[in-house]
Amino acid sequence: MAFDFHLIQTLQNPEDSIVALAFSKDHRYLGSASKNGSKDGVIRIYDVEARFRTIWSHRQLSQIETINWDSDHSLIMGTAKGELLTFSPKTREHYAKPNIIHIFSSPIHSIEFNDPRNEMLICAGDNIIVMKKEGVVVSGAHFLKDQRHSVITFLHHGLWKINLESGHSQWIVYPDDQLGATAIAPDCTALMVTSSKGLDRYILSSGSWKKETQTSLERAELPIMSSTHLPVIFIDKGHAAVVGTANGYAVICDSENGGRIQTLRHSSSDSLAYDEESLSMATGDVDGNINIWVLGFPDSKRIRFLGTLVPVMVPVPVIECLRAISVIILLVLVFGFLPFKFITLQSL
């Protein structure tokens, strides 16, 4: 067998060396990664049909170690800092930034796809990771106080703060778990996010984020399917939050320390609503029932004070509930006031 290749074109790059090349599977694009003397890397995409014209380039603040193409003709890149990046030439934006899929703790040296190209085999340090391609699913979005930024949560791709004017991300959070429904505090300083483990509270600021508290739910309260989102809302001017559970109850918890305050018994809590003016709440279920709850004695100072005493007193088993009731009666006798309790006003 004889080969007779002929040189038809040379593409000049100002960087020191080319470290990776890959053609897209539709033969339309050529991707390249190069590095210079610093720790920066440059990625380029060439249009093969346009005589290898550069249609996208980006300087990354870390060296690119490997590249490959997925089934949607998006370029997948791995960096020395463990960043797994992606960019689609279909966006037609010459200076757009690549999106981050995941950040590993070790450099990414190899990215390979299976034949359907819906699974990636990634070598990062001494780890070999198999990642399935998941569609981008937005699970929540909220305006921040300045109305120029928003916080967006994705089921598989983390928590993003976006500048709505420029479209650029200011910071990105990649939790270890999928993110479900979200609720933002009335003053836009905190975000409640449901996950397959429970309820997480994130403190939002102009330049960073911080995961502060977590409310763990019992196994019976967690969804069986990870794609099932538990509803969540803030109440009491952001001092408490309510999350629906898989077993039909609505759990009220302290938004600052994550402790439980009260569990509302309902056949199912698939939707929630709260009115601050009347201190009333509505819970809906899949059977078409809506329960209306009102706060018995809406004294916010007493509510928050007792909320620090009661969290461990609202377990699910009946025996523990009776024990909690006896302790509450004792508190009433000692302190002379009633606890934070929603009572059912009407079932529609």
Side-chain angles (χ1 to χ4, degrees):
M1 181 181 294
F3 293 98
D4 189 16
F5 282 94
H6 298 275
L7 178 64
I8 62 170
Q9 191 174 350
T10 300
L11 307 176
Q12 297 289 342
N13 289 290
E15 290 75 38
D16 290 344
S17 60
I18 304 296
V19 297
L21 293 167
F23 280 101
S24 62
K25 298 308 172 183
D26 63 350
H27 318 294
R28 174 70 185 274
Y29 305 108
L30 172 66
S32 75
S34 57
K35 64 179 181 180
N36 51 27
S38 65
K39 294 183 179 180
D40 295 347
V42 178
I43 316 118
R44 288 184 175 87
I45 295 179
Y46 303 93
D47 190 333
V48 175
E49 297 180 357
R51 297 182 59 83
F52 293 92
R53 178 175 59 88
T54 302
I55 61 173
W56 179 71
S57 64
H58 172 72
R59 182 175 295 275
Q60 185 71 18
L61 298 179
S62 56
Q63 292 186 2
I64 307 298
E65 299 290 332
T66 182
I67 61 175
N68 207 333
W69 294 85
D70 68 5
S71 58
D72 292 333
H73 316 306
S74 295
L75 185 64
I76 309 298
M77 301 149 273
T79 74
K81 292 184 178 180
E83 302 158 310
L84 187 65
L85 311 173
T86 181
F87 179 81
S88 173
K90 298 177 182 179
T91 60
R92 302 296 180 183
E93 296 182 19
H94 189 83
Y95 297 104
K97 295 181 179 180
N99 296 317
I100 301 176
I101 301 176
H102 194 80
I103 300 179
F104 298 96
S105 59
S106 302
I108 300 173
H109 295 295
S110 176
I111 301 173
E112 295 294 331
F113 283 89
N114 60 354
D115 288 340
R117 308 195 76 77
N118 59 0
E119 290 187 359
M120 287 186 290
L121 191 63
I122 302 166
C123 298
D126 58 355
N127 298 314
I128 300 176
I129 304 101
V130 178
M131 293 187 68
K132 292 185 177 181
K133 185 176 180 181
E134 303 281 2
V136 176
V137 179
V138 179
S139 55
H142 305 277
F143 281 102
L144 294 183
K145 198 167 187 178
D146 62 4
Q147 301 296 302
R148 296 185 297 105
H149 294 82
S150 66
V151 174
I152 302 175
T153 53
F154 297 88
L155 182 63
H156 304 288
H157 299 86
L159 180 68
W160 296 53
K161 181 180 179 180
I162 304 294
N163 185 314
L164 296 176
E165 296 177 352
S166 66
H168 295 157
S169 59
Q170 186 168 349
W171 46 253
I172 306 172
V173 183
Y174 287 99
D176 297 330
D177 199 4
Q178 294 181 0
L179 302 180
T182 59
I184 195 166
D187 60 1
C188 299
T189 60
L191 190 75
M192 283 292 188
V193 182
T194 61
S195 66
S196 62
K197 298 178 182 178
L199 185 64
D200 298 326
R201 179 174 185 249
Y202 292 88
I203 301 299
L204 309 177
S205 65
S206 59
S208 63
W209 63 275
K210 182 174 69 172
K211 183 178 177 181
E212 191 172 70
T213 58
Q214 180 181 48
T215 301
S216 298
L217 299 178
E218 299 178 6
R219 177 171 297 184
E221 298 171 331
L222 294 172
I224 298 176
M225 301 295 292
S226 59
S227 58
T228 302
H229 298 171
L230 301 176
V232 59
I233 58 173
F234 274 99
I235 65 171
D236 192 28
K237 299 180 180 180
H239 295 291
V242 185
V243 57
T245 64
N247 64 357
Y249 299 158
V251 175
I252 303 175
C253 60
D254 191 303
S255 61
E256 295 182 3
N257 58 37
R260 293 190 179 210
I261 299 175
Q262 185 183 359
T263 300
L264 305 180
R265 277 16 182 212
H266 191 183
S267 60
S268 176
S269 292
D270 293 317
S271 55
L272 304 167
Y274 176 74
D275 181 64
E276 191 73 54
E277 184 70 22
S278 61
L279 297 176
S280 58
M281 182 163 50
T283 60
D285 62 24
V286 295
D287 298 322
N289 299 314
I290 301 175
N291 276 5
I292 308 299
W293 310 76
V294 295
L295 192 59
F297 290 85
D299 185 335
S300 60
K301 293 183 179 179
R302 293 178 179 178
I303 290 169
R304 288 193 288 277
F305 173 72
L306 194 64
T308 61
L309 301 177
V310 180
V312 295
M313 302 177 190
V314 195
V316 174
V318 176
I319 297 178
E320 294 298 318
C321 288
L322 295 175
R323 184 183 300 172
I325 292 173
S326 64
V327 175
I328 292 173
I329 293 174
L330 179 61
L331 288 175
V332 172
L333 294 175
V334 174
F335 294 100
F337 57 81
L338 293 177
F340 179 14
K341 284 290 179 180
F342 277 93
I343 57 175
T344 308
L345 178 65
Q346 186 177 0
S347 183
L348 305 178

